[in-house]
Amino acid sequence: MANIRFSSDILKRLGEELNPNADQGIIELVKNSYDADAKSCVVKLDSIRAVGGTVEIVDDGVGMSKSDISEGWLVLGRSGKTKLKKTRLGRIPAGSKGLGRLAALRMGSSAILRTRPRKPKNTEFEVLLDWGLFDKADVVEDVPIEIASRKSKTITKSGSDIALKGLKSSISSNEVKRLARTLILLA
């Protein structure tokens, strides 16, 4: 018996080819916040005029459980979202198969997800995607991904933060302007 496996090069190709512009990738992550019923979503751009900068998306949505991460967020090409099923706040989901998310996550040399689900309370999960490890691997399945968790009484609100660190290319002022216009339209 055999299984279809994927070369790690597929992650690089999808990341580079799906969203050729940084603003499109960031919008994909903002759409995930919208789909998570976030009432607030903040996009932070730090040192983006040069390679190595950081993009961060912080929201107050419903967050994700460990199962949501392993069976949803980390499974590319499958979506638990359906256009027919509205969110708890009555929103029609904007995102779909997770491929745009992959493209956005590949903008940096690493991506860090920190998420605080509504239940269990006082819990935060963290996932580090070090793209250098994937680039060195023969197949995607060779790279283990840890879903770390911590409990704390200070974790009181749900939501998710995604940080794209070590941007592989700079983000131009035109891309920032397009991002701002698209965010206004999305809002």
Side-chain angles (χ1 to χ4, degrees), residues 64-81 96-98 101 113 115 125 127 145-147:
M64 290 180 273
S65 68
K66 189 171 188 175
S67 174
D68 292 335
I69 296 167
S70 64
E71 301 303 317
W73 198 77
L74 290 173
V75 179
L76 302 172
R78 180 191 329 144
S79 177
K81 299 174 190 175
S96 59
K97 300 289 185 240
R101 178 181 65 244
L113 165 70
T115 186
F125 297 103
V127 176
I145 299 172
E146 179 185 1
I147 302 174

Side-chain angles (χ1 to χ4, degrees), residues 98-143:
L99 296 176
R101 178 181 65 244
L102 170 65
L105 296 175
R106 288 288 301 190
M107 288 170 49
S109 60
S110 67
I112 301 167
L113 165 70
R114 287 186 188 92
T115 186
R116 298 156 305 281
R118 289 179 29 218
K119 292 180 182 178
K121 287 195 178 293
N122 309 108
T123 303
E124 179 177 75
F125 297 103
E126 180 176 293
V127 176
L128 168 64
L129 299 174
D130 181 341
W131 297 116
L133 295 176
F134 286 93
D135 293 343
K136 292 176 189 168
D138 287 332
V139 292
V140 172
E141 298 88 350
D142 288 346
V143 181

Side-chain angles (χ1 to χ4, degrees), residues 35 80-88 90-95:
D35 293 348
K81 299 174 190 175
T82 172
K83 300 284 184 197
L84 302 174
K85 185 179 177 192
K86 293 183 179 181
T87 68
R88 204 175 97 254
R91 296 177 180 175
I92 297 170

Side-chain angles (χ1 to χ4, degrees), residues 15-30:
E16 292 169 358
E17 295 172 10
L18 280 176
N19 286 333
N21 300 314
D23 57 303
Q24 291 173 322
I26 295 167
I27 287 298
E28 287 298 323
L29 298 176
V30 171

